[in-house]
Amino acid sequence: DVKVTQSSRYLVKRTGEKVFLECVQDMDHENMFWYRQDPGLGLRLIYFSYDVKMKEKGDIPEGYSVSREKKERFSLILESASTNQTSMYLCASSFGQGYQPQHFGDGTRLSIL
Amino acid sequence: AQSVSQHNHHVILSEAASLELGCNYSYGGTVNLFWYVQYPGQHLQLLLKYFSGDPLVKGIKGFEAEFIKSKFSFNLRKPSVQWSDTAEYFCAVNQGDKIIFGKGTRLHILP
């Protein structure tokens, strides 16, 4: 069974901090994604990666960066956290072309104070 | 740019009622369409998908969706819902290499 693991379920940080959200998948998937989920807004794509060291901006990349040094790990970085980045963050993975997320992690609920 | 509309934000039904959740997308041409579901406290999972062929797609747990190209629609249906179908449902459509999600519909089934 495919597993997408996000390092933290809940995280509280302060404005201006640099925040790292980690995601690991165990199925050798090429594609990995970071979304944020907000009530009434659905899921919005922040970044995705289709290979190691490759990344593409999604719809709302501002204020975020990503790192994919190894195939199984995709990190989301909030360079200088702000209160409007308080949200649920979802990592996902998939294989093959088409770039639709197939397997999701449980999410990280991030609060920026 | 592609967009996805889910018209019902919150739906409440009794058990055994029939379900139809609306989904419309804005941009024509070749599309891939998806429904995802998120049960309370669980991660998102793919319910069904349409790439080509038979426009009536069957998914897990008795759900189905019909792609109607002329109406730009991909509505989700289930003939008889159960309490365990309480969840949030997201329609999604591709825009090039990316998937665009709708805002979601919260479905609440009364026992």
Side-chain angles (χ1 to χ4, degrees):
Chain A
D1 200 19
V2 176
K3 194 151 181 69
V4 178
T5 303
Q6 295 182 229
S7 54
S8 304
R9 197 71 192 267
Y10 300 95
L11 205 54
V12 180
K13 295 291 183 181
R14 295 204 173 275
T15 303
E17 280 192 70
K18 190 169 186 176
V19 182
F20 294 85
L21 301 183
E22 305 288 347
C23 176
V24 176
Q25 49 93 4
D26 65 358
M27 280 302 291
D28 203 37
H29 284 173
E30 298 94 343
N31 309 316
M32 296 188 75
F33 310 82
W34 275 107
Y35 289 89
R36 63 178 282 177
Q37 182 179 12
D38 299 288
L41 296 178
L43 275 74
R44 293 178 292 168
L45 180 64
I46 305 171
Y47 270 96
F48 70 100
S49 168
Y50 53 89
D51 202 351
V52 176
K53 296 190 187 295
M54 305 301 287
K55 61 185 179 184
E56 292 285 339
K57 291 181 179 179
D59 300 313
I60 51 164
E62 296 79 18
Y64 303 94
S65 62
V66 290
S67 172
R68 185 116 182 252
E69 296 296 319
K70 294 184 178 181
K71 193 173 186 180
E72 68 271 17
R73 185 180 296 271
F74 192 35
S75 304
L76 179 70
I77 304 151
L78 284 66
E79 298 292 341
S80 177
S82 63
T83 54
N84 63 12
Q85 292 178 307
T86 291
S87 186
M88 172 69 86
Y89 290 86
L90 297 177
C91 177
S93 72
S94 70
F95 64 92
Q97 294 184 330
Y99 304 128
Q100 75 271 11
Q102 294 164 337
H103 303 277
F104 283 83
D106 289 334
T108 296
R109 189 165 292 282
L110 175 64
S111 296
I112 307 297
L113 305 179
Chain B
Q2 184 68 273
S3 66
V4 180
S5 297
Q6 292 183 243
H7 311 296
N8 308 104
H9 299 297
H10 200 177
V11 173
I12 302 173
L13 294 172
S14 297
E15 273 193 311
S18 64
L19 170 71
E20 183 160 3
L21 300 182
C23 173
N24 288 91
Y25 59 95
S26 62
Y27 183 72
T30 302
V31 289
N32 299 324
L33 297 152
F34 311 86
W35 276 98
Y36 289 83
V37 61
Q38 188 172 27
Y39 297 103
Q42 296 187 28
H43 56 261
L44 265 164
Q45 55 186 290
L46 184 64
L47 198 54
L48 48 79
K49 60 186 177 184
Y50 171 81
F51 283 0
S52 63
D54 189 345
L56 185 62
V57 181
K58 295 199 182 294
I60 59 173
K61 304 188 181 186
F63 285 90
E64 64 180 30
E66 186 174 13
F67 169 50
I68 303 179
K69 190 172 183 178
S70 61
K71 295 185 177 180
F72 296 82
S73 70
F74 191 56
N75 292 354
L76 182 71
R77 301 195 295 243
K78 186 171 183 178
S80 177
V81 293
Q82 301 172 303
W83 178 78
S84 58
D85 293 324
T86 293
E88 189 161 16
Y89 294 81
F90 295 92
C91 181
V93 62
N94 70 304
Q95 176 180 282
D97 292 339
K98 292 186 287 187
I99 303 298
I100 306 298
F101 283 82
K103 294 181 179 180
T105 297
R106 286 190 182 274
L107 175 64
H108 189 78
I109 306 299
L110 302 174

